[in-house]
């Protein structure tokens, strides 16, 4: 099973020279990136899970409704939001969609399992930092779903052969043929492959002069769209099953 997920986050990097990009403009860039992703998913009839950054969820209500309306799952991505604010945004979004939000993703800032359970979440999909040295940081990890305090804990996937994780950075820099082989070989030994990408990776950095490391500029924007299209075409060609996170877990 391929679990395709996207982190919906604003580009927070500074800009080059004297160019300023306002919060509203950054929101618009994020919305445009998501619309490109949705177009590609629709084209290949693949459903995914979108983890919305809680700090901008209130500004993306129309987009969230559009994502859910196309059959994708809405979950939350918590960068540094406190319990009371998460509870408020979760209720607001559930009222908007008339659906329960089951999942949450965390990275550096992690709330306790008991706190998240009380908020009504059913699963947690935590991720690590992804940078140029990350693939060499840890070569082994548990890739099985576990249960703790009534919550399903979904780990990041890692290739048992190359030992590379399936994070946003690895997808961006690896040649697609190598990445496809990695997915295929992993599915021979693991029940699922969890892939995650960031919405900001689809930004055209020639048009928007953000300061990003050279390895993050590589294969970004339209090239990321092309890579995602190539991956989904390959998934359909090989008749690999895909699923939203909540459907696979429950």
């Amino acid at each position: 099973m391929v679990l395709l997920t996207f982190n919906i986050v604003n580009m927070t990097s500074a800009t080059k020279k004297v160019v300023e990009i306002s919060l509203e403009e950054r929101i618009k860039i994020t919305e445009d990136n998501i619309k490109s992703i949705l177009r590609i998913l629709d084209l290949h009839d693949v459903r995914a899970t979108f983890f919305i950054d809680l700090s901008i969820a209130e500004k993306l209500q129309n987009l969230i409704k559009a994502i859910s309306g196309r059959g994708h799952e809405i979950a939350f991505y918590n960068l540094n939001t406190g319990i009371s604010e998460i509870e408020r945004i979760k209720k607001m979004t559930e009222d908007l969609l008339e659906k329960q939000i089951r999942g949450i993703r965390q990275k550096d800032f992690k709330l306790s399992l008991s706190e998240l359970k009380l908020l009504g979440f059913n699963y947690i999909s935590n991720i690590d930092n992804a940078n140029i040295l990350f693939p060499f940081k840890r070569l082994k990890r548990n890739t099985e779903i576990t249960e703790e305090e009534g919550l399903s804990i979904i780990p990041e996937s890692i290739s048992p052969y190359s030992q590379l994780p399936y994070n946003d950075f690895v997808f961006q820099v690896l040649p697609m043929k190598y990445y496809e082989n990695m997915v295929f070989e992993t599915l021979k030994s693991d029940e699922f492959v969890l892939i995650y990408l960031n919405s900001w990776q689809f930004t055209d950095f020639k048009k928007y002069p953000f300061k990003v490391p050279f390895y993050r500029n590589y294969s970004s924007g339209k090239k990321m769209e092309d890579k995602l299209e190539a991956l989904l075409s390959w998934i359909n060609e090989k008749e690999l099953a895909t699923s939203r996170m909540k459907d696979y877990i429950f």
Side-chain angles (χ1 to χ4, degrees):
M1 185 70 69
V2 178
L3 306 177
L4 183 61
T5 71
F6 298 89
N7 298 328
I8 309 308
V9 291
N10 262 359
M11 193 69 192
T12 58
S13 299
T15 52
K16 299 176 182 177
K17 299 180 181 179
V18 295
V19 177
E20 292 292 336
I21 299 179
S22 67
L23 174 59
E24 290 71 23
E25 290 175 301
R26 291 170 189 254
I27 291 287
K28 180 64 167 56
I29 293 169
T30 298
E31 290 176 334
D32 289 343
N33 290 345
I34 297 307
K35 288 173 183 177
S36 296
I37 293 170
L38 289 174
R39 175 186 57 79
I40 296 168
L41 292 173
D42 283 350
L43 180 65
H44 296 278
D45 195 26
V46 171
R47 300 294 171 263
T49 300
F50 288 78
F51 289 86
I52 314 295
D53 177 4
L54 282 152
S55 68
I56 59 173
E58 203 161 0
K59 297 180 180 295
L60 296 175
Q61 293 293 286
N62 290 336
L63 183 63
I64 288 172
K65 197 166 185 178
I67 293 170
S68 179
R70 296 193 188 194
H72 305 291
E73 178 188 1
I74 297 295
F76 288 130
Y77 183 22
N78 185 23
L79 295 175
N80 55 11
T81 303
I83 284 290
S84 60
E85 185 66 1
I86 295 175
E87 184 176 24
R88 184 186 70 81
I89 295 171
K90 185 173 188 290
K91 183 180 185 308
M92 176 188 66
T93 307
E94 288 177 337
D95 289 345
L96 173 74
L97 301 178
E98 298 182 343
K99 296 178 182 178
Q100 181 185 357
I101 306 296
R102 296 177 177 270
I104 190 167
R105 174 168 283 169
Q106 306 176 111
K107 188 168 65 172
D108 300 319
F109 181 81
K110 293 184 174 69
L111 297 170
S112 69
L113 299 182
S114 58
E115 288 176 310
L116 295 174
K117 180 62 177 177
L118 285 174
L119 290 177
F121 291 108
N122 299 115
Y123 73 84
I124 302 174
S125 173
N126 288 341
I127 59 175
D128 291 316
N129 282 306
N131 56 39
I132 197 168
L133 296 177
F134 181 80
F136 309 102
K137 181 181 176 183
R138 289 191 298 172
L139 297 182
K140 292 184 179 180
R141 71 159 68 103
N142 178 29
T143 57
E144 295 183 357
I145 296 174
T146 59
E147 294 284 333
E148 295 183 41
E149 299 192 25
L151 289 165
S152 296
I153 312 299
I154 299 90
E156 287 190 63
S157 291
I158 186 170
S159 167
Y161 303 98
S162 67
Q163 296 296 309
L164 289 173
Y166 286 90
N167 60 35
D168 56 297
F169 173 68
V170 170
F171 181 86
Q172 189 169 347
V173 300
L174 279 187
M176 185 47 60
K177 190 64 178 177
Y178 186 94
Y179 193 87
E180 291 168 354
N181 289 337
M182 194 169 81
V183 171
F184 197 69
E185 291 300 321
T186 301
L187 288 174
K188 290 181 179 179
S189 60
D190 295 344
E191 293 184 358
F192 69 91
V193 172
L194 171 59
I195 297 171
Y196 69 88
L197 307 176
N198 292 315
S199 58
W200 61 260
Q201 292 176 278
F202 294 81
T203 303
D204 182 354
F205 293 119
K206 293 180 179 178
K207 181 178 179 181
Y208 302 104
F210 290 107
K211 290 181 180 179
V212 294
F214 72 92
Y215 57 86
R216 283 302 196 177
N217 203 331
Y218 176 77
S219 287
S220 59
K222 182 62 169 60
K223 291 182 179 179
M224 274 293 288
E225 293 181 28
D226 293 341
K227 291 191 80 168
L228 179 59
E229 283 218 52
L231 176 66
L232 298 186
S233 294
W234 176 78
I235 285 174
N236 287 337
E237 177 188 333
K238 297 299 182 181
E239 298 183 337
L240 301 179
T242 61
S243 175
R244 302 176 300 183
M245 296 277 283
K246 66 178 183 179
D247 298 329
Y248 180 72
I249 297 164
F250 304 104

